[in-house]
Amino acid sequence: QVQLVESGGDLVQAGGSLRLSCAYSGDTGYISDMAWFRQAPGKERDLVATITTSGARNYALSVKGRFTISRDNAKNTLYLQMNSLRPEDTAVYYCYAADWRLGVEKDVWGQGTQVTVSS
């Protein structure tokens, strides 16, 4: 079993920065890709950024150039550095991991952390 716990969400003014963290624990040796998603009120959960075990990154167009995803496997932590924040970035941010412990991909989610950007 893998557990994910996010932290770092806060209220910040537009133009500000935040760094989200996602600590992963349990049987972490089978985690492959990891990602950050976000869900604004009344909207679907959207992909923000992904990172593979080799460090390859992809970003949603809306955050490219402003957000940076990274992972520290020694510390079992996934990060999302968010700069130049905009009110439209307001959402609950979720950490995601693909867990292959059982030989098939299992989706693992954290509980979410609230990011609110004021104008």
Side-chain angles (χ1 to χ4, degrees):
Q1 285 275 6
V2 170
Q3 295 83 40
L4 306 176
V5 179
E6 302 98 332
S7 61
D10 206 345
L11 170 64
V12 63
Q13 287 190 334
S17 298
L18 280 177
R19 188 175 81 158
L20 305 183
S21 299
C22 171
Y24 44 98
S25 61
D27 199 355
T28 62
Y30 298 92
I31 293 176
S32 61
D33 296 353
M34 299 192 74
W36 288 96
F37 285 74
R38 67 186 181 186
Q39 187 166 18
K43 296 189 176 181
E44 294 185 352
R45 190 172 296 189
D46 292 328
L47 179 65
V48 175
T50 63
I51 186 167
T52 68
T53 51
S54 61
R57 300 169 171 86
N58 276 294
Y59 298 92
L61 286 177
S62 59
V63 306
K64 203 167 188 178
R66 300 187 298 123
F67 291 10
T68 302
I69 188 171
S70 61
R71 65 194 286 180
D72 186 335
N73 290 327
K75 294 183 178 180
N76 281 2
T77 304
L78 177 74
Y79 301 100
L80 184 68
Q81 178 66 43
M82 305 186 295
N83 299 326
S84 301
L85 282 162
R86 304 167 181 169
E88 54 264 38
D89 295 319
T90 295
V92 178
Y93 283 71
Y94 295 92
C95 177
Y96 164 88
D99 179 10
W100 289 86
R101 183 174 61 89
L102 299 178
V104 294
E105 184 175 335
K106 176 185 174 183
D107 297 339
V108 182
W109 296 93
Q111 83 289 349
T113 186
Q114 176 71 48
V115 172
T116 303
V117 184
S118 63
S119 56

